[in-house]
Amino acid sequence: MTLRPSPTAALEGLPVPKLGHIDLVTVKLPFVAPFGTSVYTWTDKEAMLMRIESGGVTAWSECVSDPDPFYFYETNETARHIIKDFLLPLVEPGIALGELEARFRRVRGHGMAKATVENGLLILIALQRGVPLHELLGRPARTIMSGLSIGLKETPADLVAAVERAVARKYHRVKMKVKKGQDVEWVRAVRLRFPGLRLMVDANGDYSLADIDRLRELDAFDLMMIEQPLSYSDIYEHALLQKEMKTAICLDESIHGLADAATAVALGACRVINVKQGRVGGLLESMRIASFCAERGVDVWSGGMDETGIGRAVNIHLQTAEGFTLPGDTSETSNYFDEDIADPPVVLDADGSIRIPGGPGLGVSVVAERILERAIRWERLR
Ligand code: OSB
Ligand code: MG
């Protein structure tokens, strides 16, 4: 196999800028509707944001953790602790980002905390250079595919109605959450109404191998993939399951970095990987995973964590990278919030695609009054 050049070599050489004040600002935004999954139902978004000042420029990044550890082990409070007490002390102006990543590796896990810092620095550098983030990442602009993640609903009729709204908006694919006992009949209801829809399901780890007959019933519905059917911490049993299923398995929770992706691909545990830049430690590791998968014919898409406009914009820029072959969980702002903290909101084009917001950095501006209105905690770290 001919080795492709590393997608991140140039980025690893970027020097960390001199930094001024750094703040952690937690905001709480009500969701337009509760978001139900097999692990928890969230009614609002509590997002910890990092604000970095440097030479008159202000960069914002977003930590994708929740206040609770129900999707992932990190929480806003563990991320605060790790950022404040272990990561920021390693950030030294002038060292290369690759050196910073190497220092961060001594802290085991805590990818969401690491991503908050690394992404913040990349956004800051892009702003200082006056270039869009995707350009700093070395990627040309392109339109991004859209995808909607629909939470668990009260009735199949509610679910079908939500899918109807997604189809009307021209989403490029629809994902529906499932859990044990709320699966086959619910998928059937959607399939009967929309036989040709690009449709997939996400179980957030609700099944075990004992449920294999149930899971195999899903093979009848021509799903694009089934996301994380088995435990959040498993890779091996997914390989056993994939051998018994026609439908592609996609791993989300199990993949914390490139090494996990390599294990999953080697074992045949999945044919698709959901890369959440937060969960894997930031933009650089995300690009490494996507390139690794592209070389091996494994599809990759960008997940979402119901982010505010800041994290949502990061996910959009990331999807310009090589290897993001499928529509991700990138949907319109109005799916989550009546009013976001950043402008402009994400709105789909007539064909369902998403344009990268123009301008330096993320291309979105954080609205100070809305941050002040929504802030539930503000801590100056330096
Ligand atoms: O499993 O992909 C998931 C949201 C929160 C936690 C986990 C997941 C999700 C989603 C929604 O599916 C993604 C989004 O719309 O941002
Ligand atoms: Mg998922």
Side-chain angles (χ1 to χ4, degrees):
M1 185 163 22
T2 50
L3 279 179
R4 301 186 194 191
S6 154
T8 54
L11 295 164
E12 286 158 27
L14 291 172
V16 172
K18 283 204 186 71
L19 303 176
H21 288 301
I22 299 180
D23 302 277
L24 290 176
V25 184
T26 307
V27 292
K28 188 167 176 170
L29 309 182
F31 281 141
V32 293
F35 184 69
T37 72
S38 67
V39 294
Y40 193 63
T41 298
W42 287 274
T43 53
D44 36 46
K45 178 71 198 177
E46 201 175 302
M48 190 169 74
L49 310 174
M50 176 177 264
R51 180 182 183 277
I52 308 179
E53 270 178 25
S54 171
V57 173
T58 302
W60 289 86
S61 63
E62 175 168 352
C63 186
V64 303
S65 53
D66 287 308
D68 55 81
F70 302 140
Y71 163 77
F72 198 67
Y73 68 87
E74 293 182 78
T75 69
N76 289 345
E77 286 314 292
T78 70
R80 173 189 305 279
H81 167 51
I82 295 294
I83 290 171
K84 189 160 90 173
D85 298 331
F86 293 101
L87 300 180
L88 278 189
L90 301 173
V91 178
E92 198 185 316
I95 65 165
L97 280 185
E99 162 65 15
L100 185 65
E101 276 193 301
R103 292 183 180 189
F104 278 8
R105 250 170 246 135
R106 194 164 162 228
V107 173
R108 296 181 176 183
H110 297 281
M112 292 176 173
K114 290 172 182 171
T116 309
V117 179
E118 181 183 280
N119 295 349
L121 292 173
L122 285 164
I123 294 162
L124 174 66
I125 295 169
L127 286 170
Q128 289 178 334
R129 296 184 173 196
V131 300
L133 179 61
H134 68 82
E135 199 175 309
L136 185 74
L137 300 180
R139 302 299 300 175
R142 64 159 165 124
T143 55
I144 304 306
M145 293 176 282
S146 65
L148 186 63
S149 176
I150 298 177
L152 295 172
K153 296 290 178 194
E154 288 290 319
T155 66
D158 289 349
L159 171 63
V160 170
V163 177
E164 273 167 2
R165 286 192 293 276
V167 169
R169 293 299 296 154
K170 296 278 200 312
Y171 275 101
H172 292 138
R173 68 99 166 108
V174 171
K175 158 169 146 182
M176 55 181 277
K177 294 287 187 181
V178 291
K179 66 175 182 181
K180 265 201 236 182
Q182 187 167 334
D183 42 30
V184 175
E185 293 315 314
W186 297 64
V187 174
R188 192 191 314 281
V190 174
R191 249 308 166 240
L192 283 172
R193 177 73 180 78
F194 295 104
L197 178 66
R198 295 187 93 191
L199 180 68
M200 59 174 288
V201 298
D202 185 0
N204 289 108
D206 204 41
Y207 298 84
S208 73
L209 278 182
D211 304 308
I212 192 156
D213 291 337
R214 187 79 179 174
L215 290 166
R216 287 182 58 176
E217 283 184 58
L218 294 172
D219 273 343
F221 301 110
D222 190 28
L223 299 174
M224 295 172 76
M225 69 196 83
I226 170 167
E227 183 177 345
Q228 199 73 35
L230 307 179
S231 169
Y232 69 92
S233 62
D234 170 77
I235 296 179
Y236 174 64
E237 290 192 346
H238 281 95
L240 302 181
L241 178 65
Q242 182 67 89
K243 284 186 187 64
E244 303 300 322
M245 290 196 68
K246 241 178 23 186
T247 309
I249 289 175
C250 168
L251 289 178
D252 171 359
E253 282 93 326
S254 301
I255 306 298
H256 297 201
L258 179 60
D260 290 334
T263 301
V265 171
L267 288 178
C270 61
R271 299 206 288 266
V272 185
I273 290 180
N274 166 345
V275 168
K276 287 183 182 164
Q277 44 78 17
R279 198 193 60 233
V280 303
L283 288 163
L284 269 56
E285 190 75 350
S286 299
M287 293 173 77
R288 291 185 193 108
I289 295 172
S291 288
F292 174 88
C293 289
E295 282 180 22
R296 287 156 185 83
V298 172
D299 283 307
V300 165
W301 51 275
S302 165
M305 288 294 288
D306 317 318
E307 290 96 337
T308 75
I310 297 170
R312 193 170 305 284
V314 171
N315 295 342
I316 290 171
H317 283 269
L318 170 63
Q319 286 173 78
T320 61
E322 182 201 18
F324 285 84
T325 49
L326 292 173
D329 280 341
T330 314
S331 58
E332 293 186 300
T333 302
S334 61
N335 180 50
Y336 309 88
F337 312 115
D338 284 329
E339 186 187 70
D340 201 342
I341 46 144
D343 271 337
V346 173
V347 178
L348 303 192
D349 282 349
D351 67 351
S353 56
I354 295 170
R355 259 174 293 172
I356 302 171
L362 292 177
V364 297
S365 50
V366 173
V367 184
E369 308 86 73
R370 293 189 207 150
I371 294 269
L372 291 171
E373 210 176 296
R374 305 288 188 190
I376 57 170
R377 187 163 177 190
W378 190 305
E379 186 181 9
R380 176 144 288 182
L381 301 184
R382 55 189 263 182

